[in-house]
Amino acid sequence: MGAIACSTAVVAVGCSAPAGGTSAKGITVAETSAPSTLDPQGSALYADRFAWQLSYQCLMTTTPDGKIEPELATGYERSSDGLTYTFELRKGVTFHNGETLTAADVAYTFDRLKSSPDGIDKELFPTFDRAEAVGDSSVRFHLKSPDAGFINNMANPLVWGCAVMSKKAAASGKPATSMVGTGPWAQESYRPNSELKLKRFDGYWGKKTASDRLDVLYVPSSSTQVNNLKAGAVDLIFTGTSSARTLSGSDKIEVKNVPTDSTLFLQVNNLTKPFDNVKVRQAVALALDRTALAEAAYSGGGARASVYIPDGEPWAPKPADLPNSTQDVAKAKALLAEAGFPNGFSTSLMYISGYDPGTNDLTAAIQAQLAKVGIKVTLDPLERGAWLDKLTNAKHALSWNSQSSYPDPYQYVAPADGRQGPVPSALKKLLDEALRAKDQAAYQQALIAVEKWEAENVYPTVTLLATNILVAHHRGLSGVEMPPSQSRAFLAQVSRG
């Protein structure tokens, strides 16, 4: 898209005055995608969550180093059979409308979640049955079967699926355009596809925001974002490697390369020959040099080599620790010969064309690496809708794919329904054992066992890279420390000087 006109919230360089310009006591941030809704239960789109995190909170949260800590709750108790979780609410918490947080609000929130148009409840809480208020300050969750990842999803730093809503505001207000949460920022105004203005919530129960205002401007063009950062129309942007290069060398702007927990991978359809043969799938994995792929597609700055559970989880295995995760061209050729393809074979790789600045280069690099072992790949660039239809209906051979950060590491290794055949019994047994884990340490060890099995059998995917994001900001800002989840909650502690 071209530069945004001067009459909108953001101006291109050369316009007379930045309408959304920075102020002495506030900060202004540019985001690429405007939210489709401000209702934290109304969408599964990843970019929508960046707005929700500013005003909503969950009972628990996850710190940047992966620890689960209390937020709106002071703690919880898990029953010995893993079927109930009881949370004690923090006292003195109020919503932005002045209402006091009660257990009835929490129970209402999760009852309402069952009506999510995108099935968020089923994706994040597949065994959830009901929540009940136990007095004013305790809420009890009942599960149909044990789910060791339940508490991880209740502590989602992106607040997706666990954002606690005011019963009064959600039932009588307009949650699609008005956020009424318990977080440090209270919404002041909102112009869809243009800007979201927030102010410090003086009634916040925790540490107050470092700035008194936060203006979020929605600017689809990365070049316009860069120009507005240079011109002082915005204080901070989230950008890619190509845009960051234009900012390098500036004595007024700092660029931070932040590793994230989002990943890129190959979806391998084992229902399609010859990928039903495990040796062929292993050959595909062994043909790929993940570090070289990162360099080719993202100049080494936008991604790094990864396996199923990304390295943002300090306990997760590294590529060198898992089978078939380090390039070995000779072994790949030998496996293809054993599988009956001494001269290789032809196949196709579909992807969303231009999904991000590195996608087209990444798929071309994969094509070149697979060719070295005799796998001749035809690239199939598609529009998003056509790509998704073929993927969800298993009408592909190989497919590029991406996934956002998950608070529950189980979601990195869980097979996706419909994209492949029935889950192998050996893997299902390992997945079920993980869900029955008694604590986080046992859960992590069980998931490592799952990951090792999947890496050995190259099923259901071949994880390639974990992506990075570049945060560019004026050097006068302090507190710019974005976590691997990419949660924008850190903006509460950003200020000038």
PDB file of all heavy atoms in Angstrom, residues 49-56 96 159 179 183-186 196 198 214 216 218 488-492:
ATOM      1  N   ARG A  49      -4.759  -9.449  19.057  1.00  0.00           N
ATOM      2  CA  ARG A  49      -4.420  -9.569  20.482  1.00  0.00           C
ATOM      3  C   ARG A  49      -3.534  -8.427  20.973  1.00  0.00           C
ATOM      4  O   ARG A  49      -3.490  -8.133  22.164  1.00  0.00           O
ATOM      5  CB  ARG A  49      -3.727 -10.911  20.732  1.00  0.00           C
ATOM      6  CG  ARG A  49      -4.542 -12.092  20.247  1.00  0.00           C
ATOM      7  CD  ARG A  49      -3.756 -13.393  20.226  1.00  0.00           C
ATOM      8  NE  ARG A  49      -4.334 -14.312  19.252  1.00  0.00           N
ATOM      9  CZ  ARG A  49      -3.820 -15.492  18.955  1.00  0.00           C
ATOM     10  NH1 ARG A  49      -2.718 -15.909  19.555  1.00  0.00           N
ATOM     11  NH2 ARG A  49      -4.392 -16.265  18.059  1.00  0.00           N
ATOM     12  N   PHE A  50      -2.812  -7.792  20.052  1.00  0.00           N
ATOM     13  CA  PHE A  50      -1.901  -6.730  20.467  1.00  0.00           C
ATOM     14  C   PHE A  50      -2.647  -5.565  21.105  1.00  0.00           C
ATOM     15  O   PHE A  50      -2.112  -4.885  21.982  1.00  0.00           O
ATOM     16  CB  PHE A  50      -1.079  -6.233  19.274  1.00  0.00           C
ATOM     17  CG  PHE A  50      -0.164  -7.277  18.692  1.00  0.00           C
ATOM     18  CD1 PHE A  50       0.170  -7.250  17.346  1.00  0.00           C
ATOM     19  CD2 PHE A  50       0.354  -8.291  19.477  1.00  0.00           C
ATOM     20  CE1 PHE A  50       1.017  -8.204  16.799  1.00  0.00           C
ATOM     21  CE2 PHE A  50       1.195  -9.261  18.943  1.00  0.00           C
ATOM     22  CZ  PHE A  50       1.523  -9.215  17.606  1.00  0.00           C
ATOM     23  N   ALA A  51      -3.875  -5.304  20.685  1.00  0.00           N
ATOM     24  CA  ALA A  51      -4.683  -4.258  21.317  1.00  0.00           C
ATOM     25  C   ALA A  51      -5.234  -4.744  22.652  1.00  0.00           C
ATOM     26  O   ALA A  51      -5.207  -4.019  23.661  1.00  0.00           O
ATOM     27  CB  ALA A  51      -5.822  -3.836  20.394  1.00  0.00           C
ATOM     28  N   TRP A  52      -5.711  -5.979  22.704  1.00  0.00           N
ATOM     29  CA  TRP A  52      -6.331  -6.507  23.921  1.00  0.00           C
ATOM     30  C   TRP A  52      -5.374  -6.495  25.109  1.00  0.00           C
ATOM     31  O   TRP A  52      -5.783  -6.234  26.245  1.00  0.00           O
ATOM     32  CB  TRP A  52      -6.813  -7.933  23.689  1.00  0.00           C
ATOM     33  CG  TRP A  52      -7.705  -8.129  22.509  1.00  0.00           C
ATOM     34  CD1 TRP A  52      -8.424  -7.171  21.841  1.00  0.00           C
ATOM     35  CD2 TRP A  52      -7.967  -9.361  21.842  1.00  0.00           C
ATOM     36  NE1 TRP A  52      -9.117  -7.741  20.797  1.00  0.00           N
ATOM     37  CE2 TRP A  52      -8.863  -9.080  20.772  1.00  0.00           C
ATOM     38  CE3 TRP A  52      -7.556 -10.678  22.037  1.00  0.00           C
ATOM     39  CZ2 TRP A  52      -9.338 -10.076  19.911  1.00  0.00           C
ATOM     40  CZ3 TRP A  52      -8.026 -11.659  21.189  1.00  0.00           C
ATOM     41  CH2 TRP A  52      -8.905 -11.359  20.137  1.00  0.00           C
ATOM     42  N   GLN A  53      -4.099  -6.777  24.830  1.00  0.00           N
ATOM     43  CA  GLN A  53      -3.118  -6.884  25.923  1.00  0.00           C
ATOM     44  C   GLN A  53      -2.938  -5.575  26.680  1.00  0.00           C
ATOM     45  O   GLN A  53      -2.429  -5.564  27.796  1.00  0.00           O
ATOM     46  CB  GLN A  53      -1.755  -7.308  25.350  1.00  0.00           C
ATOM     47  CG  GLN A  53      -1.739  -8.668  24.716  1.00  0.00           C
ATOM     48  CD  GLN A  53      -0.761  -8.743  23.567  1.00  0.00           C
ATOM     49  OE1 GLN A  53       0.210  -8.006  23.515  1.00  0.00           O
ATOM     50  NE2 GLN A  53      -1.034  -9.643  22.623  1.00  0.00           N
ATOM     51  N   LEU A  54      -3.339  -4.479  26.087  1.00  0.00           N
ATOM     52  CA  LEU A  54      -3.136  -3.174  26.696  1.00  0.00           C
ATOM     53  C   LEU A  54      -4.151  -2.903  27.803  1.00  0.00           C
ATOM     54  O   LEU A  54      -3.857  -2.156  28.736  1.00  0.00           O
ATOM     55  CB  LEU A  54      -3.218  -2.080  25.626  1.00  0.00           C
ATOM     56  CG  LEU A  54      -2.242  -2.254  24.458  1.00  0.00           C
ATOM     57  CD1 LEU A  54      -2.515  -1.227  23.378  1.00  0.00           C
ATOM     58  CD2 LEU A  54      -0.798  -2.166  24.938  1.00  0.00           C
ATOM     59  N   SER A  55      -5.335  -3.515  27.709  1.00  0.00           N
ATOM     60  CA  SER A  55      -6.399  -3.213  28.669  1.00  0.00           C
ATOM     61  C   SER A  55      -6.895  -4.414  29.458  1.00  0.00           C
ATOM     62  O   SER A  55      -7.461  -4.244  30.534  1.00  0.00           O
ATOM     63  CB  SER A  55      -7.586  -2.574  27.938  1.00  0.00           C
ATOM     64  OG  SER A  55      -7.274  -1.265  27.497  1.00  0.00           O
ATOM     65  N   TYR A  56      -6.714  -5.623  28.911  1.00  0.00           N
ATOM     66  CA  TYR A  56      -7.240  -6.815  29.583  1.00  0.00           C
ATOM     67  C   TYR A  56      -6.125  -7.610  30.265  1.00  0.00           C
ATOM     68  O   TYR A  56      -4.955  -7.536  29.875  1.00  0.00           O
ATOM     69  CB  TYR A  56      -7.961  -7.713  28.582  1.00  0.00           C
ATOM     70  CG  TYR A  56      -9.298  -7.171  28.136  1.00  0.00           C
ATOM     71  CD1 TYR A  56      -9.459  -6.630  26.863  1.00  0.00           C
ATOM     72  CD2 TYR A  56     -10.400  -7.204  28.985  1.00  0.00           C
ATOM     73  CE1 TYR A  56     -10.693  -6.131  26.444  1.00  0.00           C
ATOM     74  CE2 TYR A  56     -11.634  -6.712  28.580  1.00  0.00           C
ATOM     75  CZ  TYR A  56     -11.768  -6.178  27.308  1.00  0.00           C
ATOM     76  OH  TYR A  56     -12.979  -5.686  26.898  1.00  0.00           O
ATOM     77  N   HIS A  96     -12.156  -0.772  34.463  1.00  0.00           N
ATOM     78  CA  HIS A  96     -12.060   0.618  34.023  1.00  0.00           C
ATOM     79  C   HIS A  96     -13.371   1.383  34.201  1.00  0.00           C
ATOM     80  O   HIS A  96     -13.375   2.614  34.211  1.00  0.00           O
ATOM     81  CB  HIS A  96     -11.625   0.680  32.548  1.00  0.00           C
ATOM     82  CG  HIS A  96     -10.299   0.031  32.302  1.00  0.00           C
ATOM     83  ND1 HIS A  96      -9.970  -0.572  31.112  1.00  0.00           N
ATOM     84  CD2 HIS A  96      -9.212  -0.116  33.107  1.00  0.00           C
ATOM     85  CE1 HIS A  96      -8.739  -1.056  31.188  1.00  0.00           C
ATOM     86  NE2 HIS A  96      -8.260  -0.796  32.389  1.00  0.00           N
ATOM     87  N   VAL A 159      -3.165 -12.680  26.403  1.00  0.00           N
ATOM     88  CA  VAL A 159      -4.517 -12.629  26.976  1.00  0.00           C
ATOM     89  C   VAL A 159      -5.565 -13.298  26.096  1.00  0.00           C
ATOM     90  O   VAL A 159      -6.768 -13.142  26.324  1.00  0.00           O
ATOM     91  CB  VAL A 159      -4.974 -11.192  27.350  1.00  0.00           C
ATOM     92  CG1 VAL A 159      -3.949 -10.503  28.218  1.00  0.00           C
ATOM     93  CG2 VAL A 159      -5.331 -10.329  26.154  1.00  0.00           C
ATOM     94  N   MET A 179     -13.061  -1.435  25.092  1.00  0.00           N
ATOM     95  CA  MET A 179     -12.439  -2.368  26.036  1.00  0.00           C
ATOM     96  C   MET A 179     -12.643  -1.875  27.470  1.00  0.00           C
ATOM     97  O   MET A 179     -12.314  -0.725  27.792  1.00  0.00           O
ATOM     98  CB  MET A 179     -10.948  -2.508  25.746  1.00  0.00           C
ATOM     99  CG  MET A 179     -10.631  -3.102  24.383  1.00  0.00           C
ATOM    100  SD  MET A 179      -8.853  -3.446  24.148  1.00  0.00           S
ATOM    101  CE  MET A 179      -8.199  -1.786  24.079  1.00  0.00           C
ATOM    102  N   GLY A 183      -6.609  -3.766  33.191  1.00  0.00           N
ATOM    103  CA  GLY A 183      -5.198  -3.499  32.940  1.00  0.00           C
ATOM    104  C   GLY A 183      -4.776  -2.070  33.197  1.00  0.00           C
ATOM    105  O   GLY A 183      -5.583  -1.201  33.543  1.00  0.00           O
ATOM    106  N   PRO A 184      -3.497  -1.790  33.010  1.00  0.00           N
ATOM    107  CA  PRO A 184      -2.936  -0.473  33.355  1.00  0.00           C
ATOM    108  C   PRO A 184      -3.357   0.646  32.413  1.00  0.00           C
ATOM    109  O   PRO A 184      -3.240   1.813  32.763  1.00  0.00           O
ATOM    110  CB  PRO A 184      -1.428  -0.704  33.285  1.00  0.00           C
ATOM    111  CG  PRO A 184      -1.264  -1.846  32.320  1.00  0.00           C
ATOM    112  CD  PRO A 184      -2.452  -2.734  32.559  1.00  0.00           C
ATOM    113  N   TRP A 185      -3.843   0.287  31.198  1.00  0.00           N
ATOM    114  CA  TRP A 185      -4.291   1.298  30.251  1.00  0.00           C
ATOM    115  C   TRP A 185      -5.804   1.246  30.112  1.00  0.00           C
ATOM    116  O   TRP A 185      -6.385   0.184  29.903  1.00  0.00           O
ATOM    117  CB  TRP A 185      -3.690   1.069  28.867  1.00  0.00           C
ATOM    118  CG  TRP A 185      -2.203   1.173  28.760  1.00  0.00           C
ATOM    119  CD1 TRP A 185      -1.318   0.147  28.569  1.00  0.00           C
ATOM    120  CD2 TRP A 185      -1.418   2.369  28.806  1.00  0.00           C
ATOM    121  NE1 TRP A 185      -0.035   0.627  28.493  1.00  0.00           N
ATOM    122  CE2 TRP A 185      -0.062   1.994  28.638  1.00  0.00           C
ATOM    123  CE3 TRP A 185      -1.715   3.715  28.978  1.00  0.00           C
ATOM    124  CZ2 TRP A 185       0.974   2.912  28.638  1.00  0.00           C
ATOM    125  CZ3 TRP A 185      -0.682   4.636  28.974  1.00  0.00           C
ATOM    126  CH2 TRP A 185       0.641   4.237  28.806  1.00  0.00           C
ATOM    127  N   ALA A 186      -6.472   2.390  30.195  1.00  0.00           N
ATOM    128  CA  ALA A 186      -7.913   2.497  29.959  1.00  0.00           C
ATOM    129  C   ALA A 186      -8.142   3.142  28.601  1.00  0.00           C
ATOM    130  O   ALA A 186      -7.486   4.133  28.257  1.00  0.00           O
ATOM    131  CB  ALA A 186      -8.586   3.319  31.054  1.00  0.00           C
ATOM    132  N   LEU A 196      -6.050   3.964  18.136  1.00  0.00           N
ATOM    133  CA  LEU A 196      -6.568   3.593  19.448  1.00  0.00           C
ATOM    134  C   LEU A 196      -5.838   4.454  20.473  1.00  0.00           C
ATOM    135  O   LEU A 196      -4.609   4.427  20.536  1.00  0.00           O
ATOM    136  CB  LEU A 196      -6.312   2.108  19.724  1.00  0.00           C
ATOM    137  CG  LEU A 196      -6.614   1.597  21.136  1.00  0.00           C
ATOM    138  CD1 LEU A 196      -8.103   1.694  21.448  1.00  0.00           C
ATOM    139  CD2 LEU A 196      -6.115   0.152  21.286  1.00  0.00           C
ATOM    140  N   LEU A 198      -5.265   5.489  24.482  1.00  0.00           N
ATOM    141  CA  LEU A 198      -5.426   5.009  25.851  1.00  0.00           C
ATOM    142  C   LEU A 198      -4.769   5.972  26.822  1.00  0.00           C
ATOM    143  O   LEU A 198      -3.871   6.734  26.453  1.00  0.00           O
ATOM    144  CB  LEU A 198      -4.818   3.610  26.007  1.00  0.00           C
ATOM    145  CG  LEU A 198      -5.314   2.550  25.010  1.00  0.00           C
ATOM    146  CD1 LEU A 198      -4.215   2.232  24.011  1.00  0.00           C
ATOM    147  CD2 LEU A 198      -5.788   1.305  25.706  1.00  0.00           C
ATOM    148  N   LEU A 214      -0.938   6.537  25.817  1.00  0.00           N
ATOM    149  CA  LEU A 214      -0.430   5.657  24.764  1.00  0.00           C
ATOM    150  C   LEU A 214      -1.355   5.784  23.558  1.00  0.00           C
ATOM    151  O   LEU A 214      -2.556   5.510  23.655  1.00  0.00           O
ATOM    152  CB  LEU A 214      -0.385   4.203  25.235  1.00  0.00           C
ATOM    153  CG  LEU A 214      -0.067   3.152  24.162  1.00  0.00           C
ATOM    154  CD1 LEU A 214       1.326   3.376  23.579  1.00  0.00           C
ATOM    155  CD2 LEU A 214      -0.179   1.737  24.735  1.00  0.00           C
ATOM    156  N   VAL A 216      -1.915   4.360  19.750  1.00  0.00           N
ATOM    157  CA  VAL A 216      -1.540   3.314  18.800  1.00  0.00           C
ATOM    158  C   VAL A 216      -2.127   3.690  17.448  1.00  0.00           C
ATOM    159  O   VAL A 216      -3.344   3.839  17.305  1.00  0.00           O
ATOM    160  CB  VAL A 216      -2.067   1.937  19.241  1.00  0.00           C
ATOM    161  CG1 VAL A 216      -1.598   0.856  18.267  1.00  0.00           C
ATOM    162  CG2 VAL A 216      -1.611   1.610  20.654  1.00  0.00           C
ATOM    163  N   TYR A 218      -2.491   2.811  13.325  1.00  0.00           N
ATOM    164  CA  TYR A 218      -2.477   1.651  12.442  1.00  0.00           C
ATOM    165  C   TYR A 218      -2.029   2.079  11.046  1.00  0.00           C
ATOM    166  O   TYR A 218      -2.715   2.830  10.346  1.00  0.00           O
ATOM    167  CB  TYR A 218      -3.855   0.988  12.442  1.00  0.00           C
ATOM    168  CG  TYR A 218      -4.186   0.493  13.831  1.00  0.00           C
ATOM    169  CD1 TYR A 218      -5.139   1.127  14.615  1.00  0.00           C
ATOM    170  CD2 TYR A 218      -3.476  -0.565  14.390  1.00  0.00           C
ATOM    171  CE1 TYR A 218      -5.404   0.706  15.908  1.00  0.00           C
ATOM    172  CE2 TYR A 218      -3.727  -1.000  15.685  1.00  0.00           C
ATOM    173  CZ  TYR A 218      -4.683  -0.349  16.433  1.00  0.00           C
ATOM    174  OH  TYR A 218      -4.927  -0.779  17.723  1.00  0.00           O
ATOM    175  N   ARG A 488       2.433  -6.872  23.878  1.00  0.00           N
ATOM    176  CA  ARG A 488       2.644  -5.428  23.940  1.00  0.00           C
ATOM    177  C   ARG A 488       2.464  -4.896  25.361  1.00  0.00           C
ATOM    178  O   ARG A 488       2.516  -3.674  25.578  1.00  0.00           O
ATOM    179  CB  ARG A 488       1.676  -4.706  23.027  1.00  0.00           C
ATOM    180  CG  ARG A 488       1.819  -4.815  21.526  1.00  0.00           C
ATOM    181  CD  ARG A 488       3.001  -5.451  20.925  1.00  0.00           C
ATOM    182  NE  ARG A 488       2.994  -5.259  19.471  1.00  0.00           N
ATOM    183  CZ  ARG A 488       3.491  -6.128  18.609  1.00  0.00           C
ATOM    184  NH1 ARG A 488       4.027  -7.254  19.040  1.00  0.00           N
ATOM    185  NH2 ARG A 488       3.467  -5.863  17.316  1.00  0.00           N
ATOM    186  N   ALA A 489       2.267  -5.758  26.324  1.00  0.00           N
ATOM    187  CA  ALA A 489       2.104  -5.311  27.716  1.00  0.00           C
ATOM    188  C   ALA A 489       3.322  -4.535  28.195  1.00  0.00           C
ATOM    189  O   ALA A 489       3.216  -3.702  29.104  1.00  0.00           O
ATOM    190  CB  ALA A 489       1.836  -6.501  28.628  1.00  0.00           C
ATOM    191  N   PHE A 490       4.486  -4.771  27.601  1.00  0.00           N
ATOM    192  CA  PHE A 490       5.704  -4.060  28.017  1.00  0.00           C
ATOM    193  C   PHE A 490       5.592  -2.556  27.809  1.00  0.00           C
ATOM    194  O   PHE A 490       6.319  -1.780  28.435  1.00  0.00           O
ATOM    195  CB  PHE A 490       6.925  -4.613  27.262  1.00  0.00           C
ATOM    196  CG  PHE A 490       7.086  -4.070  25.868  1.00  0.00           C
ATOM    197  CD1 PHE A 490       7.883  -2.943  25.618  1.00  0.00           C
ATOM    198  CD2 PHE A 490       6.447  -4.672  24.793  1.00  0.00           C
ATOM    199  CE1 PHE A 490       8.037  -2.457  24.343  1.00  0.00           C
ATOM    200  CE2 PHE A 490       6.597  -4.178  23.510  1.00  0.00           C
ATOM    201  CZ  PHE A 490       7.383  -3.064  23.279  1.00  0.00           C
ATOM    202  N   LEU A 491       4.678  -2.125  26.923  1.00  0.00           N
ATOM    203  CA  LEU A 491       4.527  -0.702  26.644  1.00  0.00           C
ATOM    204  C   LEU A 491       4.116   0.094  27.882  1.00  0.00           C
ATOM    205  O   LEU A 491       4.312   1.310  27.944  1.00  0.00           O
ATOM    206  CB  LEU A 491       3.509  -0.481  25.531  1.00  0.00           C
ATOM    207  CG  LEU A 491       3.932  -0.969  24.132  1.00  0.00           C
ATOM    208  CD1 LEU A 491       2.760  -0.910  23.161  1.00  0.00           C
ATOM    209  CD2 LEU A 491       5.108  -0.160  23.605  1.00  0.00           C
ATOM    210  N   ALA A 492       3.573  -0.604  28.881  1.00  0.00           N
ATOM    211  CA  ALA A 492       3.180   0.081  30.121  1.00  0.00           C
ATOM    212  C   ALA A 492       4.390   0.684  30.839  1.00  0.00           C
ATOM    213  O   ALA A 492       4.237   1.623  31.614  1.00  0.00           O
ATOM    214  CB  ALA A 492       2.442  -0.860  31.055  1.00  0.00           C
TER     215      ALA A 492
END
